[in-house]
Amino acid sequence: MIEIELDGKKVSVAQGSTVMHAAEQVGTYIPHFCYHKKLTIAANCRMCLVEVEKMPKPMPACATSVTQGMVVHTKTVKAIQAQQSVMEFLLINHPLDCPICDQGGECQLQDLAVGYGASASRYDEEKRVVHVKDVGPLISMQEMTRCIHCTRCIRFGQEIAGVMELGMTHRGEHAEIETFVGQTIDSELSGNMIDICPVGALTSKPFRYSARTWELSRRKSVSPHDSTGANLVVQVKGSRVMRVVPFENEAINECWIADRDRFSYEALNSDQRLTAPMLKQGGVWKTVDWQTALEYVANGLQQVIREHTATGVGTLVSAHSTLEELHLASKLTRALGSGNIDYRLRNAEFPVFEGVRYLGTSIASLSDLQSVLVVGSNLRKDHPLFAQRIRQAVRKGGTVNAITSQRADWAIPVVNTVVARSVHWVRTLAGVAAAIAQTKGVIAPVAAEITPNLQAMADALTKDGERKAVLLGNAAAHHASATSLLALANWIAAHTGASVGYLTEAANTVGAQLVRAQPDADGLNAGQMLSGGLKALLLLNTEPEFDSVAGASASSALSTAEMVVTLSPFKANMAFSDVLLPIAPFTETSGTFVNAEGCAQSFHAVVKPLGETRPAWKVLRVLANTLGLAGFDFDSSEAVRADIAGLALQEHAAFVERALLSNQTAERVHLTDVSGTPCVADIYALDSIVRRASSLQMTADALHESAGEKGQHD
């Protein structure tokens, strides 16, 4: 540790720290623009100039390393005059259009200009103008004249997103931030550039000119999309969601969110929202009241049970639903006497429950992995924030190896990639295990061919070091031989000291397993239910045509049922449903999501339900009461969560007890090639909300998806 004096205070900081780090440690604010705690030092803006004794001129705090005995002054006349001079230069070409700027009210330049700017400018020459640039549907570069060249956006692309999509061209007063030859910004993390821009040069295109920051209420929430469980601040005007930005949580999403977390809110305000219960009568949809709709559903279910027994009733649920909704759907189905419930609509294999599958390590630890083997994942598109964590691990010297069916650009240096058809993944992973067995002098789980690439993967996993992981992606989880892949991963982990885990697909994949939203021993799984044969189905927050391996054939199969009830925030499944019940999306209900590492995060509604929309847990509770079922007397989502048997959260933490989580399997490895391509959702087709977000559907990724260029295929 090094001891310095900062504004008369003694501060001990680590070797290699800067004056800015020391100031942060003691809570002393030094004005800055280009400095960001998650980015490398650029020292572009010079706003953080401070006085350092024995230095002839002011020094940038962000780029000045501390030395033993250094004496720093941040509030002296010399330091303040230097900062004021820098501010004068920064404002020379600024358009001073604060009244119409979307950044107004939350702009660093605006805030610091009050303290360090003059009341008038000495510059009376013509100001420069930067031409408008169109970089896609998410980010607006309409006012790049405001840019102060802090280069935060450039460094973010290089260091966090992994793709340098923006750069600085020309020199001096002609310098501009722009994309290469007019290309668009296509990173799945691009929206974070809006947050870190300190001057309003980069703004949100969907949000543009729709509200002023001081009109918005800010409420915490949790993302309902992938399994990161990103923490959000949902900004609301009246009863309408206007904008979503990240809430900093270093252990989960740091200060970033993916674009689908940021821009999916557009779907919540779309004309595709279902705002009242609807019944189909004579092929025509009619709006009815809640009592009529629920009595119709209850009578229909009771008639099916009388005529075909409870085994004719099934429930398909989405793992993007809250823990409470999944619990009540499971409890309701079983209370009716049926074991037919499942969330695994995209799975090709349905093994016996052996434990709740999860990440196998903490999300934060992904940033420090020394070696990682990823199997069956388009990591960058399936889990953007996990990919960002692993990208940081690589920057620290970690290595990444991948087994996949298609070579994709992860924006991460991958040391070895084995591209193989998914039908051969088990044999390929068995080859890695065989190479490890040869190195360790032990018996391999199965005999398999060892290629140079597989040997290299084995060598990376057997190197000295403690932080290793074998991560199974969405395609591996949905694979027809998923259990064999898990068994091999466990064997590899046992002989290399690595952790083994699933990246897990949805916001509540872990939660769905915790509440046993999957069939009993004699129940039907999702694949069997989607093949037809059931007389009545409840569909919670899911659209089988888009969310299942059955795809378009699900529509014709479900049309054979006597009654199909869809509970959704949107007008969904209208081709084969008989009843539509409007349920609240995550912004209009309270609930809990359990992320990939087993962290249970509860949240409250941020706006009132739209129209006659009701939280799904309330709808399921009232439906159970209408059916005369016992044990459904809940008056809050908290009461529902308390009813979940075995959900013991660790004291002083939100983590599910580790005893409930297990990636172990008693199944043996089978090398039999099982045909079929794993069903994996594309980045902007993951769930019903994302699919209806208009700006996301105009991105390059979404256009590639609609053109049939899938991220994971054979």
Side-chain angles (χ1 to χ4, degrees):
M1 299 294 285
I2 293 175
E3 187 175 90
I4 70 168
E5 184 180 310
L6 182 74
D7 289 343
K9 300 176 184 176
K10 297 292 185 182
V11 187
S12 293
V13 293
Q15 178 81 34
S17 299
T18 65
V19 172
M20 185 71 80
H21 296 144
E24 288 177 342
Q25 188 170 311
V26 295
T28 297
Y29 179 73
I30 299 176
H32 60 272
F33 293 113
C34 67
Y35 171 78
H36 190 281
K37 63 183 178 180
K38 293 291 183 181
L39 304 176
T40 55
I41 302 299
N44 288 340
C45 72
R46 317 307 282 185
M47 191 66 209
C48 63
L49 292 176
V50 294
E51 182 180 356
V52 180
E53 288 190 5
K54 298 182 181 178
M55 292 285 187
K57 58 182 180 180
M59 302 297 291
C62 67
T64 303
S65 297
V66 295
T67 58
Q68 183 64 38
M70 177 183 279
V71 179
V72 180
H73 303 286
T74 67
K75 303 290 191 294
T76 59
V77 173
K78 184 177 182 179
I80 291 175
Q81 284 181 344
Q83 293 161 357
Q84 289 174 337
S85 296
V86 170
M87 177 59 70
E88 183 177 19
F89 278 110
L90 290 176
L91 293 177
I92 277 177
N93 280 308
H94 197 79
L96 302 179
D97 56 352
C98 300
I100 63 157
C101 177
D102 266 349
Q103 194 91 338
E106 51 187 10
C107 172
Q108 262 184 282
L109 182 65
Q110 192 178 57
D111 293 341
L112 292 179
V114 172
Y116 298 91
S119 58
S121 174
R122 292 183 290 172
Y123 185 81
D124 56 9
E125 304 296 326
E126 184 177 337
K127 294 194 176 193
R128 76 170 193 156
V129 175
V130 178
H131 294 296
V132 171
K133 300 169 180 65
D134 185 2
V135 292
L138 305 181
I139 297 178
S140 172
M141 294 181 75
Q142 294 289 307
E143 288 92 10
M144 287 304 291
T145 303
R146 299 171 183 161
C147 180
I148 61 170
H149 303 151
C150 70
T151 69
R152 279 187 180 184
C153 54
I154 298 174
R155 284 175 286 144
F156 172 84
Q158 287 178 297
E159 300 162 19
I160 306 299
V163 183
M164 186 178 173
E165 295 182 294
L166 289 173
M168 185 181 292
T169 59
H170 312 303
R171 300 179 66 185
E173 68 171 341
H174 302 293
E176 294 185 29
I177 304 292
E178 58 185 338
T179 58
F180 180 68
V181 292
Q183 293 181 342
T184 54
I185 297 176
D186 300 323
S187 168
E188 61 286 346
L189 298 173
S190 65
N192 294 291
M193 295 179 184
I194 299 167
D195 292 336
I196 63 175
C197 179
V199 297
L202 303 179
T203 54
S204 169
K205 191 171 281 189
F207 174 72
R208 185 176 170 81
Y209 295 150
S210 61
R212 307 299 305 193
T213 182
W214 51 85
E215 299 177 303
L216 305 176
S217 299
R218 291 159 176 78
R219 293 155 191 176
K220 288 177 60 178
S221 191
V222 179
S223 170
H225 306 306
D226 64 36
S227 59
T228 308
N231 289 204
L232 311 176
V233 174
V234 181
Q235 300 186 351
V236 176
K237 182 179 179 181
S239 59
R240 186 182 177 93
V241 175
M242 303 300 294
R243 184 166 60 169
V244 174
V245 296
F247 181 83
E248 186 171 350
N249 186 330
E250 194 64 26
I252 296 177
N253 57 294
E254 301 176 89
C255 56
W256 317 119
I257 54 175
D259 285 353
R260 63 184 170 200
D261 301 327
R262 182 183 302 272
F263 297 107
S264 64
Y265 75 87
E266 285 187 293
L268 307 177
N269 307 319
S270 73
D271 57 4
Q272 297 182 55
R273 282 293 302 272
L274 178 66
T275 57
M278 300 181 74
L279 298 180
K280 186 189 289 182
Q281 296 179 337
V284 178
W285 285 100
K286 296 183 179 179
T287 300
V288 297
D289 58 63
W290 270 105
Q291 183 175 352
T292 301
L294 290 173
E295 287 179 353
Y296 182 90
V297 173
N299 292 335
L301 290 173
Q302 289 168 336
Q303 182 176 341
V304 167
I305 292 171
R306 283 195 302 270
E307 295 179 1
H308 306 284
T309 74
T311 57
V313 177
T315 303
L316 293 171
V317 297
S318 167
H320 298 280
S321 304
T322 68
L323 192 69
E324 294 79 3
E325 294 164 0
L326 292 167
H327 172 60
L328 286 188
S330 177
K331 186 172 183 175
L332 172 62
T333 304
R334 291 186 168 94
L336 289 172
S338 171
N340 308 329
I341 180 168
D342 212 345
Y343 74 94
R344 301 167 295 178
L345 277 72
R346 293 191 176 100
N347 285 35
E349 185 189 52
F350 301 92
V352 176
F353 180 82
E354 294 181 282
V356 175
R357 307 312 192 193
Y358 77 116
L359 186 61
T361 185
S362 68
I363 291 174
S365 70
L366 296 179
S367 300
D368 297 311
L369 288 173
Q370 294 168 314
S371 180
V372 58
L373 171 60
V374 180
V375 182
S377 175
N378 185 356
L379 185 64
R380 178 181 168 190
K381 303 301 181 183
D382 293 347
H383 300 92
L385 291 175
F386 289 170
Q388 186 275 134
R389 289 274 192 182
I390 294 173
R391 192 171 294 121
Q392 303 316 306
V394 172
R395 287 174 61 84
K396 298 173 187 175
T399 59
V400 177
N401 295 275
I403 297 173
T404 181
S405 62
Q406 181 183 8
R407 193 178 297 275
D409 179 12
W410 290 359
I412 301 173
V414 180
V415 177
N416 295 288
T417 301
V418 174
V419 178
R421 292 186 59 204
S422 59
V423 70
H424 298 139
W425 284 355
V426 175
R427 293 183 183 276
T428 304
L429 193 57
V432 177
I436 291 170
Q438 191 177 80
T439 301
K440 295 283 187 177
V442 297
I443 299 174
V446 290
E449 180 185 359
I450 303 173
T451 66
N453 259 1
L454 301 183
Q455 182 65 57
M457 290 182 179
D459 292 343
L461 287 169
T462 52
K463 282 182 181 177
D464 292 337
E466 298 178 357
R467 300 187 298 274
K468 307 170 187 174
V470 180
L471 300 176
L472 302 172
N474 296 348
H478 303 161
H479 199 278
S481 297
T483 305
S484 290
L485 289 171
L486 177 59
L488 282 167
N490 277 316
W491 189 95
I492 292 170
H495 289 82
T496 61
S499 65
V500 61
Y502 284 99
L503 295 167
T504 73
E505 180 181 49
N508 229 355
T509 300
V510 172
Q513 298 171 77
L514 284 168
V515 300
R516 301 296 190 273
Q518 52 197 86
D520 300 329
D522 57 349
L524 300 180
N525 59 49
Q528 293 167 325
M529 285 189 270
L530 287 167
S531 64
L534 287 180
K535 301 302 179 182
L537 282 111
L538 298 176
L539 305 179
L540 174 62
N541 210 20
T542 186
E543 299 170 271
E545 182 177 352
F546 307 106
D547 293 333
S548 77
V549 69
S553 64
S555 181
S556 56
L558 295 176
S559 295
T560 62
E562 294 179 12
M563 185 173 70
V564 176
V565 181
T566 291
L567 294 84
S568 173
F570 304 102
K571 297 171 184 175
N573 305 330
M574 299 185 78
F576 52 81
S577 293
D578 300 286
V579 186
L580 298 181
L581 301 179
I583 61 170
F586 78 106
T587 51
E588 299 169 20
T589 184
S590 56
T592 305
F593 291 135
V594 184
N595 69 7
E597 68 172 307
C599 178
Q601 301 182 100
S602 295
F603 54 91
H604 297 288
V606 299
V607 291
K608 294 179 180 179
L610 184 64
E612 293 298 310
T613 297
R614 296 292 180 267
W617 70 265
K618 286 187 178 181
V619 175
L620 292 167
R621 180 202 67 190
V622 176
L623 177 57
N625 294 338
T626 306
L627 286 162
L629 303 176
F632 287 84
D633 300 321
F634 306 108
D635 58 3
S636 67
S637 62
E638 289 81 4
V640 178
R641 194 177 83 163
D643 186 60
I644 301 174
L647 185 64
L649 299 181
Q650 293 177 4
E651 191 175 358
H652 306 307
F655 289 94
V656 174
E657 290 287 353
R658 286 297 178 258
L660 299 174
L661 307 175
S662 172
N663 291 321
Q664 296 300 310
T665 178
E667 295 294 322
R668 297 176 62 85
V669 178
H670 301 285
L671 287 182
T672 306
D673 292 336
V674 181
S675 62
T677 301
C679 176
V680 178
D682 290 303
I683 183 170
Y684 298 132
L686 183 62
D687 57 71
S688 59
I689 297 177
V690 169
R691 286 193 291 267
R692 291 172 171 82
S694 56
S695 294
L696 290 178
Q697 296 308 316
M698 292 189 288
T699 61
D701 277 325
L703 295 175
H704 291 166
E705 292 163 13
S706 62
E709 298 178 23
K710 303 297 182 183
Q712 186 76 41
H713 58 77
D714 283 349

